[in-house]
Amino acid sequence: NKAMSWIFEEEPEPKRYDTMDIFQNQNVSSVPPKGDIATSHNNPGNIKYGQFAQKYGATVGRGATDGGKFAYFPTVEAGLQAQKDLLTSGGYANLTVTDAMKRWSNSGYGADLYPEVANKKMKDLTPQELNELVLRQTKRESPTIYNKIYGQ
């Protein structure tokens, strides 16, 4: 998919959104009441709402069964960028891929997602390995949004 090819290139500085504009113009009823979170919330990684997600223009989405609310991103691109950046942030950077995936998924998946790099630390992944991890993670989180993004 040409529109999403940017995610596989060296990224420029991520676009920052003015959260004050977003909050002032937020219409809570615009959050889709149905559909899987990843697809309906432009949130391929099923990221929870908080200060991190706000930097990418996210607003409060639907509630999560394990607590908190999901982030509702303005675009799929913003959701993918947040996913990539979160995986390489302080909370994940020093974890192995296995431990990072277990943490992300609340032990729903781990080394099985990408066995070839399972014991590498997140910060040591090459850009290609990180892109492949995001692709596999997105497919695991939501085949629906995976197909929408990657057209496969």
Side-chain angles (χ1 to χ4, degrees):
N1 184 334
K2 295 264 189 230
M4 295 295 156
S5 64
W6 66 272
I7 198 77
F8 295 105
E9 300 169 2
E10 293 292 324
E11 294 101 49
E13 186 65 25
K15 180 178 179 183
R16 300 296 180 206
Y17 296 87
D18 184 349
T19 54
M20 290 313 293
D21 287 344
I22 291 166
F23 287 126
Q24 289 170 355
N25 297 319
Q26 183 178 1
N27 177 356
V28 176
S29 65
S30 68
V31 175
K34 295 183 180 177
D36 74 81
I37 295 295
T39 305
S40 66
H41 285 50
N42 297 318
N43 188 349
N46 289 322
I47 296 170
K48 298 278 183 74
Y49 179 76
Q51 287 184 334
F52 179 86
Q54 287 176 12
K55 291 188 281 185
Y56 298 85
T59 55
V60 178
R62 293 198 320 252
T65 57
D66 61 351
K69 304 267 185 186
F70 284 104
Y72 179 73
F73 290 99
T75 64
V76 173
E77 292 86 356
L80 280 169
Q81 191 63 56
Q83 182 179 357
K84 284 183 78 173
D85 291 351
L86 186 55
L87 284 170
T88 55
S89 73
Y92 288 90
N94 290 311
L95 297 177
T96 63
V97 169
T98 297
D99 291 340
M101 293 299 96
K102 284 182 178 180
R103 179 177 177 187
W104 188 287
S105 68
N106 199 18
S107 295
Y109 52 83
D112 60 310
L113 196 62
Y114 195 177
E116 299 87 345
V117 296
N119 295 316
K120 273 184 111 170
K121 288 191 176 188
M122 292 300 300
K123 68 180 180 180
D124 296 331
L125 293 177
T126 66
Q128 294 79 17
E129 289 168 337
L130 178 60
N131 287 332
E132 180 64 22
L133 178 62
V134 168
L135 183 130
R136 293 179 186 202
Q137 184 184 32
T138 298
K139 189 172 187 178
R140 178 66 67 91
E141 292 284 339
S142 170
T144 304
I145 199 165
Y146 172 85
N147 291 332
K148 180 179 175 183
I149 295 169
Y150 302 107
Q152 299 179 13

